[in-house]
Amino acid sequence: MKRIGRQIVLLCSGFLGLALGAFPTSVQIGGLFMRYSDQEYSAFRFAIYLHNTNPNTTEAPFNLVPHVDNIETANSFAVTNAFCSQYSRGVFAIFGMYDKRSVHTLTSFCGALHISLITPSFPTEGESQFVLQLRPSLRGALLSLLDHYEWTKFVFLYDTDRGEFNSFTVPENATPTWL
């Protein structure tokens, strides 16, 4: 009886050791930032610092090891090269900025290689399984507002590519005044 009890304890402790040993103590995370985007890069570094210095091991059971590349997002070769560099380092996810010239390159690589792209950039046109967008799309809210108040004429002010993209999704029966 003692022998069976010892074997069960030994077996359970072996499984516990395997389970605890299976979780890494550090996780590689990538960062792709446009040159001269100091605010985004500083926020990324600060978030990594807060996570890694958190004394509560249940909230932060591993350290994040960042791998950062500064790129020109208009250059598709530079975007591809930076993504391949991140992938070769074994990153689990990439926090990155993109513009409308590089969005399709990044989302297709993430989908093909099953790497999550976490981005505060404008939402993409279609849904992508491996892209986590921190900004919601405004298209649904704009269309709901127009429908609710039955507006046929309105003014839509924008100053970014994101606003221009939203301006093309208004109902055809509305007559927008563009500025």
Side-chain angles (χ1 to χ4, degrees), residues 79 98-111 117 122 124-126 128:
V79 171
Y98 58 76
D99 63 7
K100 62 183 178 179
R101 293 169 289 208
S102 62
V103 63
H104 297 295
T105 303
L106 284 174
T107 55
S108 65
F109 277 130
C110 288
L117 175 66
F122 63 93
T124 59
E125 295 171 12
S128 180

Side-chain angles (χ1 to χ4, degrees), residues 53-128:
T53 57
N54 188 348
N56 189 348
T57 57
T58 58
E59 290 178 6
F62 52 84
N63 283 332
L64 294 173
V65 179
H67 299 285
V68 176
D69 288 319
N70 292 313
I71 58 173
E72 289 291 334
T73 57
N75 183 346
S76 62
F77 177 75
V79 171
T80 302
N81 190 31
F83 187 90
C84 291
S85 172
Q86 296 285 334
Y87 183 70
S88 69
R89 294 176 187 156
V91 298
F92 285 92
I94 295 176
F95 183 89
M97 307 292 292
Y98 58 76
D99 63 7
K100 62 183 178 179
R101 293 169 289 208
S102 62
V103 63
H104 297 295
T105 303
L106 284 174
T107 55
S108 65
F109 277 130
C110 288
L113 300 173
H114 295 199
I115 294 178
S116 296
L117 175 66
I118 305 160
T119 181
S121 297
F122 63 93
T124 59
E125 295 171 12
E127 294 294 320
S128 180

